[in-house]
């Protein structure tokens, strides 16, 4: 989905459904970049992800929270805000703590987008 979103192409319902089903199967192995890219793609495409996918990606993000870099934190929060979804409190707490841990690595753009997302 990330490639379609990057190219500005709407992939169609069948493809989104198929990729969502596959993501649900493998999300337990996602790393922070894959979590972020998936959420970013849905937000950029203007397509609401299934609740089960959001729940699974959130659970996985909590498992790998220590691996999020500034761009991944920013893009994850931006995606939730753009989708009009409130992330689970536990995820907000975890990503906020991660912001504090890696704040020296934030670019001005990442700072602005993170603050906008809140």
């Amino acid at each position: 989905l990330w490639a379609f979103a990057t190219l500005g192409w709407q992939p169609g319902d069948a493809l989104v459904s198929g990729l969502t089903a596959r993501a649900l199967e493998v999300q337990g192995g996602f790393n922070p970049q894959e979590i972020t890219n998936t959420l970013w793609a849905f937000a950029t495409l203007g397509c609401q992800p299934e609740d089960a996918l959001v729940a699974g990606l959130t659970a996985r993000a909590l498992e790998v929270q220590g691996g999020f870099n500034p761009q991944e934190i920013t893009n994850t929060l931006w995606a939730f805000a753009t989708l009009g979804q409130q992330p689970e409190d536990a995820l907000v707490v975890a990503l906020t703590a991660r912001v504090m841990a890696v704040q020296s690595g934030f670019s001005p753009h990442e700072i602005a987008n993170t603050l906008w997302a809140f």
Side-chain angles (χ1 to χ4, degrees):
L1 285 180
W2 176 87
F4 285 98
T6 299
L7 293 170
W9 294 347
Q10 289 297 323
D13 292 343
L15 183 59
V16 171
S17 179
L19 290 175
T20 295
R22 182 63 180 147
L24 286 166
E25 293 172 1
V26 299
Q27 65 191 356
F30 276 24
N31 63 36
Q33 183 179 3
E34 292 159 342
I35 294 164
T36 299
N37 286 354
T38 302
L39 291 168
W40 179 90
F42 276 102
T44 300
L45 291 168
C47 180
Q48 286 293 324
E50 292 182 14
D51 292 343
L53 182 59
V54 173
L57 292 175
T58 296
R60 183 63 181 156
L62 290 170
E63 292 172 2
V64 297
Q65 62 186 307
F68 275 78
N69 66 34
Q71 182 180 9
E72 293 158 351
I73 295 166
T74 298
N75 288 352
T76 297
L77 294 172
W78 176 89
F80 274 106
T82 300
L83 288 165
Q85 294 193 20
Q86 178 65 38
E88 289 184 18
D89 290 346
L91 183 59
V92 174
V93 169
L95 291 181
T96 299
R98 190 67 185 144
V99 166
M100 298 305 294
V102 296
Q103 63 185 331
S104 64
F106 274 76
S107 71
H109 180 77
E110 291 163 342
I111 292 167
N113 280 356
T114 299
L115 291 172
W116 174 85
F118 279 106

